[in-house]
Structures are given as structure tokens and as C-alpha cells.
Amino acid sequence: MNLDQSAALIERAARTIPGGVNSPVRAFKGVGGNPVFFTSGEGARLRDVDGNEYIDYVGSWGPMLQGHGFRPVVDAVRAQAVESIGFGAPTQLEVEMAEAVVERVPSIEKVRMVNSGTEATMSAIRLARGATGRDRILKFEGCYHGHSDSLLVKAGSGVLTLGIPNSPGVPEAIASNTLTAPFNDIDAVRAIFAEYGDSIACVILEPIPGNMGCVPPRAGFLEGLREVTADAGSMLIFDEVMSGFRVAPGGAQELYGIAPDLTTLGKVIGGGLPVGAFGGKADIMDQIAPDGAVYQAGTLSGNPLAMAAGLEMLRSLDAPFYDTLAQRTTRLVDGLANAAAETNIPVSTNSVPGMFSLFFTSGPVETFADVSACDVDRFKRFFHGMLSRGVYLAPSAFEAGFLSGAHDESVIDETLAAARATFAELLT
Ligand code: HOZ
């Protein structure tokens, strides 16, 4: 496979962009080698600057739920661009988006649009602190909620990939208000609440973490969090930036039947354009400015291009879509596990509808400690073997894979053929 143009571009990029990339995981530091520079995508497939084609399991890290170039979204963006790209003033599209979110996500009665997942989680935490009058928050090891100060403590995603557990530049005074617990360990959470419960404003988590790889919650974990937070007068925040509208129309909270106080959203809701949102019960959301005193604002918030794209995306996601996505995810992960078994290479797979991970370890992967114990070197070889066979996986052992409606059975079978050849190569 010729990757000369990509190699030339990363060298050129590094002269004017830190590390040559605008988000660290893209730099391939987690797998070695040069990042691939892409030019276009259609359905489940991507094309790079050297003319190579790949099956895409990144999907822009989640939002491409119908694959690339999804016509209704492209047409909506084009039509809206002709009307206006933005006003910095209210539009009917924002109202329709809020109604679409409230209709789908069980616990949300009111929602505020922002521009990224980072903004959404940062704002939700400010609201939780403002509403409770408490400063401490509790997050989980390996969960990633964007790059705001309070949340860059034992985080997943890029900081985990690069081995930066606590980022320089985050004041100690802020980090000290962030408590951490092991994901899926309700006893640890209870112990922390026994000591600090009356000073904890909120517990924030990815109900299905995708930023240390895909690690679903153990039975009873989310229920336990709901109970502990309610007893202590703390808020429970589900970060559904990845799982929202993906694992079910109403996200993880619908899948597991748990109602958080606040929810953060992103990715799918913008159809691929930059967007985020946070929402929850009306009496909490009403404490946000202008009705309430907790301040939050944004010139580009509710941008009409993003709203038009997101609305078309949401309209396309009917019940058969979710059934098919779930079936195809199962076909893929079962196929990967079987392909590995043929070579006796120990792997463990995790999945929820539309999201998956393949871990190079023999045991189940349910905690950050389990993730950390996986064979990262083997993952790197697997990643490059798949890449050379035209399958683009997330360039880190600590990120999830994403499927779309465009990943049909033939795409999955092609992926599995590449996986069989790659597993065989790992034995050599
Ligand atoms: N941290 C993001 C996924 N977990 C990656 C974002 C990007 O590189 O675009």
C-alpha cells in the first residue's frame, strides 16, 4: 500500500500544527507510523490522499451513524447553507431539535445546545455545582468527558493513549475537587460517598465507556449509582456523547432503564457537524441563564447547519435501523472472536449496538485495570495488519470501534476476511 502522500502531509503539517494534528489520537502515537490523510468517504468506505480505500470503523468517532455522504444530511446542509450559515439568533430549527431530543431521550425535559462534547460536560458540571452548591465531582478512571480542567483527571481517550494521567496546566485547586473511582465498582463509589457524600455535586460517567475501548456497565452498576446519588442529594450525569442515539433511540439510559438527572450529548445529534448538548429535568435546566443564575452561552450554539444536519440524521433512525445495527454489530464481534480462536490468539470482545472493542487478553474486560492489562503491542500489529488490508480502525488500543447503517453484511464479511489474514500474520 502506497502512503507517500500521507507521509509527506504529516511532515508538512508538523511545521505549522502541534504534532501535525488537531486532536492527539489522530497522530498514530498509539500505534506507531504515520497518520493517514483522508479525502472523501461514501457509505462505510473512506479514500485517502494516495487513492487507497478503507472500510471505516471510526465514523468520525461516532456521528456517521448512516455512513459517509448520507444524502438526507448532505442535502439538508446544502439547502440550509443557501438560506443562512448562522444568525447568532433563535431559529425554528433549534426548537425542532429540542423537541426531537425530548421526544427520544427519556430523562430530558429541556435541552441546551452547545458546540462540542467538551462544552456539554463542562456546562453540565457547572450546572450541577450551581444547583447543589457543592464543589466536588466524582468521575471514573478511563472515562473521558472532553478536555476541560475538572475532567482531565485519570481520563481515557488521548490522555490514556499518550500516558498523561493528569495534564500539566490543570490547577491543583481544580483537580483536587475531582474524585475518581474504578469504573464498574459500586462498592468503591459507596465508600467515597460515605466519606464525601455531602460535598459531591455530581457523579459523571459514560454509561457505556467508549474512551478506554468499549466497556459496558456491569449489571446493577448504573442502578447502584442512581441510588447512591439520590440518597446523597448529588446529581447523576450520563455522558451520552458516544452512546446517545446510537445504542438505542434514547441512548444508554433507554437501553438500561436508568434516568440520570442530566445528560450530555453530541456527535449523532449534529449529523457530523460540530455540536453538543446538555439536558435534563426542567427544574434543573431552568437554573441556566437567562432564567437562572448559572451562566452558559455560545455564539455558534444551535447553529442552523448543525441543527439541519442533526434533524435529518435523527429522522432517519427508525426501529428497523436499530435492529439491523445490533445484528450487524453481533455478526462483526462474533466473527472477530471466531477468527482469533482459529489461531488461538487470546482476545476478548465487548460490544453494544453500534460500538465494539477487541482486546488482546484472555479474560473479560470490565474495568480500567482489565483494559490496562491488555497486550498493546499485539494491538499495534493488528491495527497495521488491518490497515494494510484496507480496514481503518481507531489508531489506539483505548478507543472503541463504530459501525453505521452502511456497514452491511458484505462489508462485515470483507472485514472478517482481513481479520483472519491479520490474526494469522500475528503468529509469525
Ligand atoms: N478523543 C476522541 C475520541 N475519543 C478523538 C477525537 C478526534 O481525534 O477526532
Side-chain angles (χ1 to χ4, degrees):
M1 178 177 278
N2 179 355
L3 292 164
D4 291 352
Q5 297 298 322
S6 279
L9 272 172
I10 188 64
E11 202 182 311
R12 179 177 158 197
R15 287 182 219 132
T16 49
I17 304 173
V21 292
N22 281 310
S23 192
V25 177
R26 300 177 195 178
F28 272 40
K29 300 269 188 227
V31 289
N34 288 324
V36 180
F37 283 67
F38 293 104
T39 53
S40 62
E42 191 178 346
R45 292 176 198 271
L46 296 174
R47 180 179 282 264
D48 74 11
V49 285
D50 288 285
N52 302 304
E53 283 197 4
Y54 307 85
I55 298 173
D56 179 23
Y57 286 100
V58 175
S60 197
W61 303 97
M64 297 300 170
L65 196 42
Q66 293 282 19
H68 294 270
F70 181 54
R71 254 310 126 199
V73 168
V74 172
D75 290 346
V77 170
R78 196 175 276 140
Q80 182 56 44
V82 173
E83 297 298 326
S84 171
I85 287 172
F87 305 100
T91 65
Q92 182 171 323
L93 287 167
E94 297 169 285
V95 183
E96 289 174 18
M97 175 57 83
E99 289 167 352
V101 171
V102 168
E103 192 184 314
R104 286 164 177 77
V105 185
S107 69
I108 297 187
E109 294 171 353
K110 287 194 175 182
V111 61
R112 170 67 59 86
M113 303 307 297
V114 293
N115 301 296
S116 67
T118 292
E119 260 190 78
T121 55
M122 181 183 86
S123 307
I125 282 172
R126 182 177 305 143
L127 175 55
R129 283 175 162 153
T132 59
R134 301 173 178 181
D135 287 344
R136 286 198 170 103
I137 65 170
L138 175 64
K139 75 175 286 291
F140 293 92
E141 293 168 7
C143 281
Y144 179 75
H145 309 286
H147 60 91
S148 68
D149 286 349
S150 296
L151 294 164
L152 274 188
V153 180
K154 293 190 184 170
S157 191
V159 280
L160 178 56
T161 301
L162 299 175
I164 310 171
N166 300 301
S167 172
V170 174
E172 175 54 29
I174 291 179
S176 64
N177 277 317
T178 302
L179 308 171
T180 58
F183 184 77
N184 263 338
D185 186 343
I186 194 63
D187 291 339
V189 174
R190 288 190 201 284
I192 289 170
F193 265 82
E195 193 167 352
Y196 301 106
D198 58 4
S199 65
I200 297 176
C202 62
V203 171
I204 184 167
L205 77 158
E206 301 175 80
I208 304 167
N211 284 290
M212 52 174 153
C214 175
V215 182
R218 278 180 183 143
F221 180 61
L222 299 178
E223 288 82 350
L225 293 179
R226 182 61 286 183
E227 185 192 303
V228 171
T229 48
D231 287 351
S234 302
M235 291 193 184
L236 180 62
I237 305 178
F238 275 9
D239 178 349
E240 298 232 41
V241 167
M242 279 185 179
S243 55
F245 310 106
R246 172 169 284 275
V247 300
Q253 57 194 266
E254 179 185 334
L255 196 65
Y256 299 113
I258 306 291
D261 299 296
L262 291 170
T263 301
T264 60
L265 298 165
K267 303 200 190 265
V268 173
I269 202 176
L273 272 76
V275 86
F278 65 104
K281 295 174 185 161
D283 61 327
I284 304 172
M285 292 303 291
D286 285 341
Q287 297 183 50
I288 288 279
D291 285 353
V294 178
Y295 199 71
Q296 187 280 326
T299 297
L300 296 174
S301 299
N303 173 265
L305 285 186
M307 296 300 95
L311 277 168
E312 282 308 320
M313 178 63 77
L314 292 183
R315 285 181 189 127
S316 75
L317 305 174
D318 54 13
F321 171 88
Y322 285 102
D323 288 346
T324 307
L325 188 69
Q327 282 163 20
R328 293 198 182 142
T329 309
T330 303
R331 184 184 181 94
L332 176 69
V333 293
D334 287 355
L336 288 171
N338 290 338
E342 284 165 20
T343 54
N344 285 324
I345 291 176
V347 303
S348 181
T349 56
N350 281 344
S351 70
V352 289
M355 271 171 82
F356 70 98
S357 275
L358 174 80
F359 298 100
F360 285 92
T361 183
S362 48
V365 177
E366 298 181 341
T367 66
F368 178 67
D370 296 337
V371 169
S372 305
C374 293
D375 187 340
V376 174
D377 286 333
R378 212 165 220 179
F379 173 82
K380 291 178 187 177
R381 289 187 66 203
F382 181 74
F383 170 86
H384 281 289
M386 293 296 274
L387 189 72
S388 70
R389 292 176 174 86
V391 179
Y392 186 68
L393 301 170
S396 165
F398 307 112
E399 298 281 1
F402 297 95
L403 279 86
S404 76
H407 288 73
D408 61 20
E409 294 189 355
S410 68
V411 167
I412 290 168
D413 291 347
E414 206 180 309
T415 307
L416 295 176
R420 276 191 291 274
T422 303
F423 282 126
E425 189 176 73
L426 294 187
L427 292 176
T428 62

